[in-house]
Amino acid sequence: MELSLDRLTKHFGSKIAVDCVNTTLMPGVYGLLGANGAGKTTLMRMLCAVLEATSGEVLLDGKNIIDMGAEYRNILGYLPQDFGYYPSYTATEFLMYIAALKGIQREVAKKRVKELLDMVDLSGVSFKKIKTFSGGMKQRIGIAQALLNHPKVLILDEPTAGLDPKERVRFRNLLSDYAKDKIVILSTHIVSDIEAIADKVLLMKKGNFLLQGTVSELVRKAEGKVWELEVSPEEARRWQAKVTVANLRHEGDSIVLRIVADSSPVEQAVPCEASLEDLYLYHFPSKEGV
Ligand SMILES: Nc1ncnc2c1ncn2[C@@H]1O[C@H](COP(=O)(O)OP(=O)(O)OP(=O)(O)O)[C@@H](O)[C@H]1O
Ligand SMILES: [Mg+2]
C-alpha cells in the first residue's frame, strides 16, 4: 500500500496554504511537525478528500482518492482538529451514531464500540453524556471514532492535544500496536510525541516539506549547531535578543543558555548533543513567522 502526494497544492485566495508537495507514504507512522499556520490541517484535509486541492492529486496505489469515493472512505479514519461532538449523546451513543454513518452493521459496531471505549480508557463513563467530559476525554472519544472501521489509512490532526502525560503514553502504545501495516499520519506541535511515536517526520514550513526523514536522520542535521554558554543574567537577556535560545537554566548566580546557531556564538560556548527540538527551533526561530 502506498499513498502518493503528487504536486498537491491548496490556495485560499492569494494565500498558498500547501505549496506543491510531493512525497510517497508507505505503512508506518508519520509525524507532521510545523508551526501554527504551516499548512498541516489543510494538507490532512486534502488527504482525507474533504478539501478539494487547487491542483495536484492524492493517489492510493495509483488511484485518485476522490475518484475512489466510498472505496477510500471505507479504509479511512480521520480525527479533525476541530472535531464536533454531540454534547447530549453519551459516549456509546455517539460512537454508535458515527458507526452508523460509516455503514458499520449494528452488531459489529456494538462490539467494536466496547473494544474502543476500553482502548481509550472510557469504559467507566460510556453511559455519561459527552458534555460532562473533560477536554482530554473528548479528545479520546475523537480518537476512538477515527478507529471504528479499522482504517488502513489513519489521519489524526493533533490527537494528543489536551491529553495528560499518562493518557499520552497510553495513546502512543495504542497507536504503535495499531499502526502495523497501516499508514498513520499525525500532526502535533509536541516534539517529544514525535520522538516517541513517529517512524518518520515530515517537517512542514510555509506549505512545504522542509525536511523528511527518521528522527535520528533529522537530529543529525542539527548536530554541530547546539551550544551551551554560561553567562550572567544581564548577558542572558542580551543573548536572547540576538540568538535562538532553546533552554535557559539557572546555576547559582549565573545562567546556562542552550543556543541553536550555525556556528559557535562565542569562544567559550561548549558544543553539545542535538535533539529534535533543537532542529525544530533552528528552522522556526521565534523571531520569524511561519
Ligand atoms: N478555510 C480557509 N480559508 C482561508 N485561509 C485558510 C483556510 N484554512 C486555512 N487557511 C490558511 O492557510 C494556512 C495554513 O493553515 P492550516 O490550518 O493548514 O495550518 P496548521 O499547520 O494546521 O496550523 P495549526 O498548527 O495552527 O493547526 C494559514 O495561513 C491559514 O490561515
Ligand atoms: Mg492545524
Side-chain angles (χ1 to χ4, degrees), residues 12 15 17 34-43 45 81 158 189:
F12 293 108
K15 170 86 206 172
N36 292 132
K40 303 179 296 297
T41 296
T42 306
L43 179 75
R45 292 178 67 210
Q81 185 170 9
E158 301 201 19
H189 303 120

Side-chain angles (χ1 to χ4, degrees), residues 261-279:
D262 275 315
S263 56
S264 177
V266 61
E267 208 182 326
Q268 358 15 328
V270 182
C272 50
E273 214 175 297
S275 68
L276 189 60
E277 189 169 55
D278 296 321
L279 179 83

